[in-house]
Amino acid sequence: MSGYAFTLDDVAYLTGAGQEALAEVAARPLTDAHRVSDIAWARSRFGDRAAVLVETVLLRRRAVAKLAELGDVAGWLFTDEALQQATAGAVAVHRARRLSGRVVHDATCSVGTELAALSNSGDSSPHLIGSDLDAVRLAMARHNVGDRALLCRADALRPITRDAVVVVDPARRSSGRRKFDPRDYAPPLDELLEVYRGRDLVVKCAPGVDFGQLAELGFRGEVQITSLAGSVREACLWSPGLAPSGVTRRATVLDKTGQVAEEFTDADPGDCPSGPAGRWIVDPDGAVVRAGLVRHYAARHGLWQLDPAIAYLSGDELPSGTRGFEVIEQIAYNEKRLRQALSAHGASAVEILVRGVDVDPDALRAKLKLQRSGGQLSVVITRIGAGAAARPTAFICRPSR
């Protein structure tokens, strides 16, 4: 029942007469094993309202895990698309701390998740304004955030505030399909940058946004790439007035609790040599790689690159708290050699990491014919050298954890 099209009447029902019905539906398992029978029960009990009740309960269950850092969201209202697009609570709260003490206008407030993060981020902003064109999501936001923000219906491309920091989260999906060109966002990024030129502006983007394209669109501030528990979650654009002097790229690594594990910017030292593998190989966090700050990461931790154009790093000491791969053997890569080497090391399971070489890890793993019993090893496959001197190399490793 995912993707139910909520109406204003649905919102009025869910926040009024339907609350007892919601409690009854929420008491049902609604798991895969019980879904069909529970939906049939809901239809017999609540008729045409069954769909909106079941959808709301399922969305709330998903939201509790994703948005835990926003507080109690178990009674919130969502649409499926709004919950998909909502930033993970830990990432939203971290971003909100940079805006502490400022008047903030969330110009695409949707169901209010960013407004909740702003109001929950410690020394919260003195004034919060939220606006959206979608009347249904705006009604949900009124229920979700209450009097923590002033809410109104407005087009993000027609400014309604003057001195506030404007936060925008353009839609990057249409009918479930991702939009990769920021000019295809809703509202389009190029129009946002033009409308708010000279204003303090924060724009959330897909983590794969093209930095060169941002420059072509006239963006001159800071691009922050944030990961949470090892997964890259978003790119965030900070206009020049909100970015430290000299910083145009930032990688923020949040641990599984949402705390900052490490942070790097392009203003940090970035001197990093290249050389043969040492004891350890390190694959930096995806936010560091995506932000183009691998050399800065290496410089801070006393590591070096295996190749100047490849993100794998090496060193004789493993940075504290970092997962690494202890090199057991280095071989010129081909499938036959790798299979023989893994057999000699008694591997029964293997993790395969690849950069700079056209190798599908899953397809390769199926061809390796590993032993039925033995140990877990890792294989790092990469290109060393450039042009005619380039050679694919495999490092057989023991993972640190």
Side-chain angles (χ1 to χ4, degrees):
M1 300 183 73
S2 178
Y4 176 87
F6 286 84
T7 66
L8 287 173
D9 178 65
D10 290 329
V11 176
Y13 170 71
L14 293 169
T15 56
Q19 292 184 66
E20 290 186 8
L22 265 176
E24 287 190 50
V25 175
R28 308 291 292 199
L30 287 172
T31 58
D32 290 342
H34 297 86
R35 186 77 52 88
V36 173
S37 60
D38 284 344
I39 290 174
W41 167 85
R43 285 173 176 158
S44 68
R45 181 82 173 82
F46 303 110
D48 292 342
R49 296 290 194 185
V52 69
L53 292 167
V54 170
E55 178 79 344
T56 297
V57 169
L58 293 175
L59 290 172
R60 284 176 170 178
R61 291 178 183 177
R62 283 167 47 196
V64 166
K66 182 174 185 178
L67 304 175
E69 292 77 9
L70 303 188
D72 184 6
V73 298
W76 278 34
L77 298 180
F78 303 91
T79 69
D80 180 67
E81 189 175 65
L83 183 56
Q84 285 188 51
Q85 187 171 339
T87 304
V91 178
V93 169
H94 174 75
R95 178 176 49 252
R97 291 192 184 109
R98 285 186 68 169
L99 298 173
S100 181
R102 298 292 300 270
V103 176
V104 180
H105 171 206
D106 183 351
T108 52
C109 73
S110 186
V111 299
T113 55
E114 294 296 322
L115 294 170
L118 288 160
S119 67
N120 290 349
S121 60
D123 180 18
S124 60
S125 300
H127 298 291
L128 297 177
I129 304 100
S131 62
D132 204 283
L133 267 178
D134 189 316
V136 171
R137 293 192 187 187
L138 199 59
M140 290 180 171
R142 288 194 176 95
H143 169 76
N144 295 342
V145 302
D147 60 2
R148 287 182 282 176
L150 301 173
L151 297 173
C152 64
R153 192 175 184 191
D155 185 340
L157 293 175
R158 298 190 176 185
I160 60 170
T161 56
R162 181 175 301 169
D163 298 320
V165 177
V166 177
V167 176
V168 188
D169 183 8
R172 298 179 289 280
R173 290 175 181 268
S174 179
S175 302
R177 301 181 66 179
R178 292 183 184 275
K179 299 177 180 179
F180 296 98
D181 188 333
R183 291 168 295 194
D184 293 333
Y185 291 175
L189 180 58
D190 52 341
E191 294 183 38
L192 283 171
L193 294 176
E194 181 59 35
V195 166
Y196 293 102
R197 192 171 303 281
R199 292 278 302 272
D200 285 340
L201 176 68
V202 181
V203 185
K204 292 193 291 178
C205 295
V209 67
D210 187 297
F211 291 0
Q213 190 172 38
L214 291 178
E216 290 175 5
L217 295 179
F219 179 71
R220 297 292 182 266
E222 173 195 317
V223 183
Q224 179 183 24
I225 309 294
T226 302
S227 67
L228 175 63
S231 175
V232 179
R233 296 306 182 96
E234 70 174 27
C236 187
L237 312 185
W238 299 83
S239 61
L242 297 172
S245 177
V247 173
T248 63
R249 286 173 287 130
R250 180 186 303 270
T252 300
V253 180
L254 303 181
D255 63 21
K256 62 183 179 182
T257 70
Q259 300 303 305
V260 177
E262 289 191 294
E263 195 162 54
F264 305 85
T265 76
D266 55 349
D268 295 335
D271 294 333
C272 166
S274 299
R279 178 182 175 186
W280 296 95
I281 290 176
V282 175
D283 185 13
D285 184 271
V288 174
V289 176
R290 182 68 195 91
L293 299 174
V294 170
R295 295 173 64 85
H296 303 73
Y297 177 97
R300 181 179 297 181
H301 291 296
L303 305 174
W304 59 86
Q305 289 182 284
L306 295 174
D307 182 277
I310 299 294
Y312 289 134
L313 301 173
S314 189
D316 294 322
E317 298 290 337
L318 190 62
S320 177
T322 300
R323 184 171 186 254
F325 305 91
E326 188 174 18
V327 178
I328 300 172
E329 184 180 359
Q330 175 179 340
I331 62 173
Y333 170 72
N334 67 42
E335 289 181 14
K336 181 178 180 180
R337 281 198 196 96
L338 180 59
R339 185 163 53 247
Q340 291 172 340
L342 289 171
S343 177
H345 288 290
S348 63
V350 64
E351 170 188 20
I352 301 173
L353 296 86
V354 179
R355 288 192 190 280
V357 180
D358 186 14
V359 172
D360 180 336
D362 292 331
L364 174 59
R365 188 179 295 104
K367 298 176 182 178
L368 291 177
K369 301 176 182 177
L370 300 173
Q371 300 172 184
R372 292 186 178 180
S373 62
Q376 162 83 44
L377 294 178
S378 299
V379 176
V380 177
I381 303 173
T382 190
R383 188 203 73 240
I384 304 293
R391 61 192 188 281
T393 302
F395 298 90
I396 299 171
C397 306
R398 185 178 295 108
S400 62
R401 63 173 187 270

